[in-house]
């Protein structure tokens, strides 16, 4: 998000103009560094909230699929895994001039791959052959998949510059991450069947054994209280699919579905900013349950800028202060959290996203071998494997919860993690 005058219109266009608003780049104190902040369980936490950067090492092959918001996050993630440091980021194809369609950082720091694929709908057979992004409908083609899987890159020692070990192609991915594209897709189109199909196709088309589904946040696409109810239903379904995937999956090669609580992350940031702006009866997000967010959201999130646009943003989401809000409530100075009512300011928001994603993937991969499966006919050995799977599943879900609570929130990050240059790692073995 550029600091200074807020501009409207495409860069280079003669119609581009200043809106009269300003972005300072400052964070509310509650989103910078905090001391002795009380959490839901009563413990006191101190540390940094959004005022830190993230470094990640991985030897896994990751693919992030989604719309322009996911492209933002993927670009930041690619830098965090070493794309700039190693000079290994490439645009495989453009969606249109100057806009990423498919990208890859190969190798990452650690020797893995981080790729992205712009798409306007959940991966579905119904999208095969349709016009691709940025057209609606989630169109994709086999040539896109071929371009990703056959992308060639040099293998180097431990993912660092050094003695080369030849070349490799990406081939199959280990993990697919979906940003569920609410906005491009109507809420009623994001059905249980579409979500399950996207998960299944992640293995059938791209070879992935683990899928991460991001919950849907409040944005300017959530225009009514009824939309909030529908989004809540989508997120409940995402969590249900993840918890019950073992009984849903049948013969799918996807072994694990994880949930990244991206919607909760937006809520934590927006609630914090709302309190900073002086909105009353807004709970501190660290002391709020999901039910509290659902109850309080309709009481203030629909307070929108009256800017005359179809997708007017929520004031508590995008404004930096109330003093700059004009009498007609058409404009305000903007914060350094959200570019508009949907896109983020990745300089501030992406580090927690990346840390949460790395932590979550580590739940499924770090320190484990091949996951036992127990979907077939059971004998005594298989029953023992089934019990082992259930124990592992319990551990993974606990880990998933801890990752989301720490990073998809405004939970302070301890200074000791930052001062010691802690590196988050996700490894295949």
């Amino acid at each position: 998000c550029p600091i200074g005058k807020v501009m409207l219109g495409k860069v280079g266009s003669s119609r581009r103009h200043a809106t009269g608003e300003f972005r300072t780049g400052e964070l509310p104190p509650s989103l910078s560094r905090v001391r002795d902040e009380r959490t839901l369980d009563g413990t006191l936490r101190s540390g940094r909230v959004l005022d830190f950067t993230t470094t990640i090492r991985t030897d896994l092959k990751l693919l992030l699929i989604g719309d322009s918001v996911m492209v933002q996050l993927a670009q930041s993630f690619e830098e965090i895994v070493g794309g700039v440091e190693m000079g290994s980021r490439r645009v495989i194809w453009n969606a249109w001039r100057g806009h990423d369609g498919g990208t890859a950082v190969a190798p990452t720091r650690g020797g893995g791959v981080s790729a992205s694929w712009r798409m306007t709908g959940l991966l579905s057979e119904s999208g095969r052959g349709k016009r691709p992004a940025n057209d609606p409908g989630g169109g994709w083609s086999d040539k896109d998949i071929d371009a990703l899987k056959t992308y060639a890159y040099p293998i180097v020692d431990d993912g660092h510059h050094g003695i080369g070990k030849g070349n490799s192609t990406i081939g199959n991915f280990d993990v697919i991450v979906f940003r569920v594209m609410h906005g491009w897709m109507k809420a009623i189109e994001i059905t249980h069947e579409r979500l399950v199909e996207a998960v299944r196709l992640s293995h059938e088309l791209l070879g992935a054994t683990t899928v991460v589904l991001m919950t849907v946040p409040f944005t300017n696409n959530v225009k009514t209280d009824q939309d909030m109810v529908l989004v809540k239903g989508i997120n409940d379904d995402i969590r249900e699919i993840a918890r019950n995937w073992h009984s849903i999956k049948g013969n799918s090669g996807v072994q694990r579905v994880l949930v990244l609580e991206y919607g909760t992350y937006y809520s934590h940031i927006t609630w914090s900013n709302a309190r900073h702006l002086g909105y009353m009866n807004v709970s501190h997000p660290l002391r709020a349950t999901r039910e509290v967010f659902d109850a309080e959201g309709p009481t203030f999130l629909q307070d929108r800028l009256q800017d005359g646009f179809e997708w007017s943003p929520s004031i508590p989401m995008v404004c930096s202060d109330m003093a700059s809000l004009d009498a007609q409530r058409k404009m305000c100075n903007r914060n350094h959290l959200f570019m508009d009512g949907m896109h983020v300011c990745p300089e501030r928001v992406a580090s927690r996203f990346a840390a949460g994603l790395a932590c979550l993937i580590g739940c499924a991969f770090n320190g484990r071998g091949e996951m036992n499966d127990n979907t077939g006919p059971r004998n005594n050995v298989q029953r023992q494997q089934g019990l082992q799977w259930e124990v592992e599943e319990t551990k993974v879900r606990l880990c998933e919860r801890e990752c989301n609570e720490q990073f998809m929130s405004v939970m302070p990050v301890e200074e000791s993690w930052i001062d010691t240059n802690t590196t988050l790692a996700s490894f295949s073995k």
Side-chain angles (χ1 to χ4, degrees):
C1 295
I3 304 301
K5 293 180 179 179
V6 177
M7 306 297 291
L8 188 65
K10 294 181 179 179
V11 176
S13 169
S14 60
R15 296 183 178 181
R16 185 171 172 81
H17 64 279
T19 65
E21 300 162 303
F22 194 84
R23 195 186 310 274
T24 66
E26 296 179 0
L27 287 173
S30 63
L31 292 175
S32 181
R33 301 187 188 193
V34 299
R35 183 172 179 80
D36 293 337
E37 195 66 74
R38 191 172 299 279
T39 65
L40 189 61
D41 64 4
T43 59
L44 298 178
R45 294 289 297 269
S46 301
R48 304 192 195 187
V49 182
L50 297 181
D51 186 23
F52 67 92
T53 57
T54 303
T55 299
I56 294 172
R57 293 168 52 82
T58 184
D59 66 354
L60 295 167
K61 297 176 181 180
L62 317 176
L63 176 61
L64 283 63
I65 300 177
D67 57 9
S68 56
V69 175
M70 183 58 120
V71 170
Q72 276 192 307
L73 296 170
Q75 289 172 344
S76 297
F77 192 82
E78 288 168 348
E79 182 174 347
I80 287 167
V81 296
V84 174
E85 171 191 321
M86 302 179 63
S88 59
R89 183 182 189 271
R90 299 290 183 272
V91 177
I92 303 176
W93 75 87
N94 279 315
W96 67 99
R97 185 177 180 181
H99 293 78
D100 296 349
T103 67
V105 170
T108 63
R109 190 185 299 107
V113 172
S114 179
S116 72
W117 186 5
R118 186 192 293 259
M119 193 176 295
T120 59
L122 286 166
L123 189 60
S124 172
E125 283 291 354
S126 64
R128 189 193 294 263
K130 288 185 177 179
R131 289 177 62 84
N134 228 22
D135 277 29
W140 59 274
S141 70
D142 290 319
K143 72 176 184 179
D144 298 335
I145 293 175
D146 290 340
L148 288 166
K149 295 179 72 171
T150 61
Y151 177 77
Y153 62 97
I155 303 173
V156 292
D157 287 335
D158 193 33
H160 290 284
H161 294 296
I163 301 173
K165 294 184 177 181
N167 292 321
S168 181
T169 55
I170 293 177
N172 288 333
F173 289 91
D174 297 301
V175 181
I176 305 296
V177 185
F178 283 106
R179 172 177 143 78
V180 179
M181 305 82 161
H182 179 246
W184 284 105
M185 298 179 70
K186 297 177 181 178
I188 58 174
E189 296 174 334
I190 306 172
T191 62
H192 179 87
E193 290 73 23
R194 281 295 299 272
L195 289 164
V196 169
E197 181 187 17
V199 174
R200 291 186 188 279
L201 290 177
S202 297
H203 179 80
E204 293 175 18
L205 299 176
L206 297 157
T209 57
T210 296
V211 172
V212 177
L213 296 175
M214 296 166 58
T215 54
V216 178
F218 173 85
T219 67
N220 57 7
N221 293 305
V222 183
K223 300 178 70 172
T224 67
D225 291 352
Q226 179 59 28
D227 288 339
M228 291 186 187
V229 173
L230 293 174
V231 166
K232 178 184 182 300
I234 293 168
N235 291 336
D236 288 344
D237 196 23
I238 287 172
R239 299 178 188 111
E240 191 72 14
I241 289 169
R243 283 194 302 266
N244 295 324
W245 181 248
H246 196 58
S247 60
I248 294 171
K249 76 185 193 73
N251 61 359
S252 172
V254 173
Q255 298 300 313
R256 182 84 67 192
V257 179
L258 301 169
V259 178
L260 187 69
E261 293 286 354
Y262 191 66
T264 301
Y265 185 33
Y266 269 43
S267 294
H268 272 241
I269 295 172
T270 302
W271 260 247
S272 297
N273 196 57
R275 288 165 60 88
H276 172 69
L277 295 179
Y279 281 84
M280 303 299 291
N281 301 316
V282 177
S283 297
H284 193 294
L286 288 182
R287 298 188 286 277
T289 62
R290 196 176 296 153
E291 291 73 23
V292 168
F293 289 129
D294 292 338
E296 291 183 356
T299 68
F300 71 96
L301 291 178
Q302 300 293 5
D303 186 17
R304 299 177 184 267
L305 290 177
Q306 303 302 307
D307 55 12
F309 293 109
E310 183 179 1
W311 310 105
S312 299
S314 171
I315 291 172
M317 189 174 189
V318 302
C319 293
S320 65
D321 62 271
M322 297 301 278
S324 64
L325 185 66
D326 67 343
Q328 293 76 37
R329 302 176 74 83
K330 290 183 177 180
M331 64 176 70
C332 64
N333 287 340
R334 299 304 183 94
N335 60 36
H336 208 206
L337 303 168
F338 295 100
M339 181 180 294
D340 48 37
M342 179 173 63
H343 297 88
V344 299
C345 292
E347 309 94 314
R348 296 298 193 183
V349 174
S351 284
R352 274 190 175 267
F353 164 79
L357 181 58
C359 181
L360 196 63
I361 294 171
C363 294
F365 284 90
N366 289 356
R368 76 168 182 87
E370 290 297 318
M371 185 175 65
N372 290 312
D373 195 0
N374 67 332
T375 55
R378 290 184 168 190
N379 55 29
N380 288 336
V381 173
Q382 288 169 323
R383 279 195 296 271
Q384 186 175 358
Q385 288 178 339
L387 179 60
Q388 184 177 345
W389 186 92
E390 290 171 6
V391 170
E392 182 181 355
E393 173 72 0
T394 300
K395 291 179 179 178
V396 168
R397 293 303 160 196
L398 177 61
C399 179
E400 176 188 62
R401 188 184 74 187
E402 291 174 346
C403 290
N404 281 311
E405 288 179 351
Q406 175 60 66
F407 295 114
M408 294 295 94
S409 68
V410 294
M411 185 72 73
V413 173
E414 295 178 13
E415 291 282 352
S416 61
W417 290 15
I418 298 164
D419 294 340
T420 56
N421 296 314
T422 301
T423 297
L424 296 168
S426 294
F427 297 113
S428 58
K429 297 187 175 79

